[in-house]
Amino acid sequence: AVEFLRSTWPELQEVRFEIGAVPLTDAGDAVPRWHIDREQQRIVLFRLPIERFLAPGHDDHLHRRMAVEGAVFRAAAEYVGREPWEFGHDH
């Protein structure tokens, strides 16, 4: 997913995508799925919240992969200030 996004949007060429287990800060009731640091040009995706908040009955390899890829797309879109569905070779 990251290589596709980098090939599609030049704004992401230098962005580091990292995996973290859990967020280190308290966000109240919300559990963040990712953290964006534009100053350091990085996006940290939090694996456990992404995987643990799958809908019941969807905790299998395919759904986990879809959840992770969806989080990558949403985090990257937030980083560049666009909507996730704008990613693609037509945009």
Side-chain angles (χ1 to χ4, degrees):
V2 171
E3 292 309 314
F4 168 78
L5 294 173
R6 285 186 175 146
S7 71
T8 304
W9 285 6
E11 302 100 298
L12 297 171
Q13 286 294 318
E14 302 300 319
V15 176
R16 287 190 340 249
F17 287 79
E18 301 174 6
I19 303 296
V22 294
L24 298 176
T25 59
D26 182 12
D29 291 338
V31 178
R33 306 313 197 265
W34 58 82
H35 171 74
I36 292 174
D37 185 343
R38 287 181 183 84
E39 187 174 302
Q40 293 188 18
Q41 291 185 296
R42 69 181 216 164
I43 297 171
V44 180
L45 296 137
F46 300 117
R47 183 181 58 81
L48 290 175
I50 292 169
E51 291 180 348
R52 301 289 172 146
F53 289 108
L54 291 170
H58 291 97
D59 188 19
D60 57 53
H61 177 73
L62 175 63
H63 286 96
R64 281 191 300 275
R65 181 178 174 156
M66 289 170 42
V68 170
E69 287 180 358
V72 170
F73 274 72
R74 290 190 311 277
E78 182 179 327
Y79 184 91
V80 297
R82 298 189 190 182
E83 296 296 328
W85 55 82
E86 292 182 56
F87 287 116
H89 292 291
D90 296 332
H91 295 279

